[in-house]
Amino acid sequence: MYEHFIKKKQEVQEEGKVRTFKRGSAPAGKPRNVILCGLEGSGRTALANETARLLDMQVAAPGAADGVSALAPFAKDGGHIVIIGPEHLQDSNSAALIPRLGHVFFLMADVPFLIEAQGIPEGEQESFAAAFPELEMRFHSLGGLPLSAYRPVEENAEQVEEVLTLCG
């Protein structure tokens, strides 16, 4: 779709660096991280695995209990698909760091979809539904690109690949 922007291979020298651009590609080099956010049951793990396969990247699911120290390594190194859940947004320092780790994507789903996916018992569904708007707004505050949890995993992974190609 966007291959016409770069017509031929060009080498560009910067002080201490050589970057190669070729038709239909982002700058060569270490890819940034892909940050996949969403609630349990939205398909984060399946999308992380498919995107990692498609882009030859590694999947990481850092623990939230360690806060910033669990996320900090991803600020230095690229090439990971990092799975983030609402527990990572509890600490304001961790939440502030997440958008700087890489390209953020948010898997969106509605309450009935998530209740079914998580198998939430009937007695707990009302409290989950009540907490949902705040959790969703926390993810939106990260400024990521929304992806539909209703779409096939392969389509979402291809959309992630397209965004990375366009954004570099």
Side-chain angles (χ1 to χ4, degrees):
M1 174 187 284
Y2 296 96
E3 290 185 333
H4 63 276
F5 286 117
I6 301 175
K7 299 285 186 194
K8 60 184 179 176
K9 182 177 175 177
Q10 297 289 328
E11 288 194 13
V12 180
Q13 289 209 351
E14 297 175 22
E15 187 174 336
K17 293 182 182 179
V18 175
R19 294 184 180 238
T20 301
F21 297 84
K22 62 183 180 182
R23 181 182 172 101
S25 73
K30 184 176 263 190
R32 291 189 65 197
N33 295 308
V34 172
I35 313 303
L36 295 179
C37 302
L39 294 168
E40 183 180 338
S42 64
R44 295 172 303 174
T45 302
L47 179 56
N49 289 329
E50 177 63 18
T51 304
R53 184 195 65 74
L54 189 64
L55 301 175
D56 193 27
M57 296 173 81
Q58 297 178 346
V59 176
D66 296 328
V68 172
S69 63
L71 298 173
F74 303 107
K76 298 174 187 157
D77 295 324
H80 293 89
I81 310 291
V82 184
I83 301 172
I84 300 291
E87 62 278 5
H88 293 92
L89 304 178
Q90 298 297 326
D91 173 52
S92 61
N93 292 325
S94 294
L97 179 60
I98 291 169
R100 293 181 280 177
L101 299 177
H103 297 284
V104 179
F105 296 87
F106 169 54
L107 270 161
M108 294 178 54
D110 63 11
V111 171
F113 179 92
L114 293 169
I115 284 174
E116 184 178 328
Q118 293 181 38
I120 296 174
E122 197 165 314
E124 299 173 21
Q125 292 177 5
E126 191 173 315
S127 62
F128 174 79
F132 180 79
E134 180 190 344
L135 293 171
E136 189 174 45
M137 289 310 300
R138 287 184 185 192
F139 285 119
H140 283 295
S141 72
L142 298 175
L145 177 72
L147 299 171
S148 173
Y150 303 98
R151 290 177 59 199
V153 171
E154 297 79 13
E155 286 182 26
N156 278 332
E158 288 170 5
Q159 185 174 0
V160 169
E161 179 184 37
E162 184 176 345
V163 168
L164 293 180
T165 299
L166 293 173
C167 297

